[in-house]
Amino acid sequence: MNIGILGLGLIGGSLGLDLRSHGHYVFGVSRQESTCTKAIALGSVDEASVNMNLLTAVEVVFICTPIGLIIPTIEQLITHLPANVVITDVGSVKTPIVKAISPLWTNFIGGHPMAGTAESGIEAAQRHLFVDRPYVLTPTATTPPEAISTVEKIVKQLGSKLYYCPPENHDRAVSWISHLPVMVSAALITACLGESDPEVLQLAKKLASSGFRDTSRVGGGNPELGMMMAQYNQQEVLRSLHQYRHDLDELIHLIEQENWTGLEAKLKLTQSSRPEFVEDC
Ligand code: NAP
């Protein structure tokens, strides 16, 4: 199959490596000429250009630009494509993208591979990034079944675990397990920084060990990522943060009341529930 990738960074470049290894012919388009040259040299694409015209003969295009550019990029791209081309994107938030693009392009299906690293750019591209990772597709009532099955076949070749859901459910679910943890972890770090005694703060920094490493990791990551989550998934991030504040208040109340039985019951519930979210615990 002739496949296009628009935006040759971590996700686009990694996608290209695997699609080529499955025998697809991959056309890549990126913003910078130097990225196009690197993508060919690294084996992510067969051909590359800074010009969207390169994609006129593909059957499917994966949009892998930064999230804020997905909608304007597709708006520009569709002026170059015949109507039968299937477009999908890999953006980490789905509702605004699906809402904006569905009326413009019938053969569009939103997607989100739940895989990544802390790196970015074409040099960070790696093989097998998507193997055994969830890959969510968010078709709507009007998405043509052929468009769904075309993208589905490709995603299955990547070795991903395929899930379908409405875009709104995707955004709500990722807010709980991805976006809320970033905000909570960020608040943990700022709360610690709020220690008023400089000597104690210094001591806390020296004593911080594995527990703090685990719980502060996502809050200490790339600020762009947290900004993206809050901006593009604002409603759901706020909803989950309000619920989280409610749960914090409950914990405060239990401790103030010295309700150790209630606190223990809560901690037993969290202990037994965690494996439902993550397997390796
Ligand atoms: P990235 O490594 O920064 O790659 C994005 C690439 O897009 C850049 O390398 C850049 O290439 C290119 N680009 C920027 N503006 C462009 C334009 N106007 N036209 C064409 N290409 C342009 O980012 P990423 O991590 O791969 O993320 C890409 C998408 O994947 C985002 O929408 C994100 O939400 C989604 N996603 C990310 C992850 C993750 O963990 N990283 C996971 C799942 C989904 P040049 O070098 O040519 O400027």
Side-chain angles (χ1 to χ4, degrees):
M1 193 178 247
N2 286 341
I3 298 180
I5 298 176
L6 209 165
L8 299 171
L10 166 69
I11 300 294
S14 302
L15 206 50
L17 287 170
D18 286 357
L19 293 179
R20 288 189 70 233
S21 73
H22 283 102
H24 297 291
Y25 195 88
V26 178
F27 295 85
V29 170
S30 211
R31 181 180 46 176
Q32 303 182 69
E33 197 74 63
S34 58
T35 302
C36 296
T37 312
K38 273 183 222 158
I40 295 172
L42 291 169
S44 282
V45 295
D46 293 280
E47 295 178 34
S49 169
V50 292
N51 194 329
M52 287 183 188
N53 278 331
L54 186 73
L55 304 180
T56 45
V58 302
E59 290 146 84
V60 183
V61 186
F62 284 79
I63 309 294
C64 305
T65 64
I67 194 156
L69 292 173
I70 292 177
I71 296 170
T73 299
I74 296 178
E75 283 170 347
Q76 207 187 331
L77 174 70
I78 57 179
T79 63
H80 299 269
L81 298 185
N84 60 335
V85 176
V86 175
I87 300 178
T88 184
D89 76 297
V90 298
S92 312
V93 173
K94 297 273 50 92
T95 310
I97 295 171
V98 174
K99 265 198 181 138
I101 302 305
S102 296
L104 302 181
W105 198 255
T106 309
N107 281 308
F108 171 76
I109 174 166
H112 180 202
M114 308 279 303
T117 69
E119 312 293 316
S120 62
I122 187 67
E123 289 91 352
Q126 54 179 259
R127 290 179 197 281
H128 311 309
L129 183 66
F130 310 101
V131 173
D132 288 335
R133 306 306 301 273
Y135 197 122
V136 188
L137 292 178
T138 61
T140 66
T142 57
T143 314
E146 307 77 46
I148 301 174
S149 71
T150 300
V151 178
E152 181 185 286
K153 272 183 212 141
I154 297 171
V155 169
K156 282 186 176 161
Q157 284 182 332
L158 298 173
S160 304
K161 294 178 191 164
L162 189 60
Y163 295 92
Y164 289 102
C165 66
E168 296 80 9
N169 288 10
H170 166 275
D171 292 355
R172 197 158 162 175
V174 296
S175 181
W176 288 119
I177 52 82
S178 173
H179 303 178
L180 176 64
V182 168
M183 301 305 158
V184 167
S185 174
L188 169 71
I189 299 170
T190 54
C192 293
L193 290 173
E195 167 56 52
S196 56
D197 183 334
E199 213 172 302
V200 175
L201 178 59
Q202 206 47 37
L203 183 64
K205 287 179 182 173
K206 291 272 179 288
L207 299 184
S209 191
S210 57
F212 190 80
R213 176 172 292 113
D214 290 347
T215 50
S216 65
R217 184 176 65 79
V218 291
N222 183 354
E224 268 177 42
L225 211 61
M227 290 297 295
M228 176 278 290
M229 293 164 174
Q231 272 182 286
Y232 294 95
N233 202 17
Q234 185 188 16
Q235 260 190 331
E236 296 306 335
V237 169
L238 284 175
R239 182 209 299 270
S240 54
L241 274 171
H242 283 301
Q243 178 61 45
Y244 183 71
R245 184 160 67 186
H246 172 79
D247 280 81
L248 265 189
D249 284 341
E250 259 187 26
L251 284 175
I252 291 170
H253 184 71
L254 288 171
I255 297 168
E256 279 174 349
Q257 300 300 308
E258 302 189 357
N259 183 349
W260 309 130
T261 320
L263 182 63
E264 188 184 23
K266 208 167 243 315
L267 294 176
K268 277 189 173 157
L269 174 74
T270 58
Q271 182 187 37
S272 64
S273 304
R274 185 169 180 251
E276 294 165 18
F277 292 87
V278 274
E279 284 164 0
D280 59 340
C281 58

